[in-house]
């Protein structure tokens, strides 16, 4: 996906940006239980879609980076997963 | 906990080291399902102990950093959680 295509698609995902050439979103929850509940939903989504995030958690905070190693960059799969993640919230 | 104390306690946790002034261990599993299963166990441990890791996951890989913000460094709580994490494996 070209940089211009990525930029255009980002219009549909206002809470996501680009960081380190990956699709990125930062989430803040009330506490660890809420953050973990969200992550558990994302884990099931990711496994079902066979497309997994690069992500980290510190207590109530979650950072998700999406990229497609096979495509050496951001692909349709990343936008599809990002959209599904947003729909969890 | 002093640097000397940390060094001494690390003798009981041969798979852990120090990185960025935190107790650190890197784990590699067969796939995402196994990595996530492990993380789910750690999440329950952490919530039970009220001491949460800084951690990240990429597919079959998990990195865990333990530190105690209240103590501004590594404390007994970090070694206790690390030991419990090791016992999951």
């Amino acid at each position: 996906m070209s940089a211009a295509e990525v930029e255009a698609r980002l219009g549909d995902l206002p809470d996501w940006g680009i960081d380190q050439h990956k699709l990125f979103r930062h989430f803040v929850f009330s506490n660890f239980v809420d953050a973990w509940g969200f992550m558990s939903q994302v884990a099931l989504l990711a496994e079902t879609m066979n497309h997994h995030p690069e992500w980290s958690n510190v207590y109530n905070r979650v950072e998700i980076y999406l990229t497609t190693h096979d495509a050496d960059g951001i692909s349709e799969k990343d936008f599809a997963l990002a959209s599904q993640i947003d729909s969890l919230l």
Side-chain angles (χ1 to χ4, degrees), chain A:
Chain A
M1 193 175 278
S2 72
E5 284 174 303
V6 167
E7 197 60 40
R9 294 294 302 276
L10 276 174
D12 300 329
L13 296 172
D15 297 312
W16 293 76
I18 303 297
D19 188 27
Q20 299 169 47
H21 306 289
K22 297 168 187 171
L23 206 53
F24 170 76
R25 185 174 171 183
H26 180 237
F27 303 83
V28 181
F29 298 91
S30 299
N31 51 44
F32 178 73
V33 169
D34 285 358
W36 186 256
F38 166 73
M39 290 179 75
S40 299
Q41 292 178 289
V42 172
L44 296 178
L45 266 183
E47 187 62 16
T48 302
M49 297 173 78
N50 193 29
H51 191 57
H52 301 84
E54 301 178 8
W55 52 347
S56 63
N57 159 246
V58 180
Y59 193 60
N60 65 329
R61 295 170 180 274
V62 178
E63 292 190 340
I64 299 184
Y65 291 86
L66 302 177
T67 187
T68 303
H69 291 278
D70 292 349
D72 197 28
I74 297 170
S75 80
E76 199 60 53
K77 284 185 178 181
D78 300 305
F79 280 100
L81 181 53
S83 175
Q84 291 282 315
I85 289 171
D86 279 1
S87 72
L88 297 173
L89 300 170

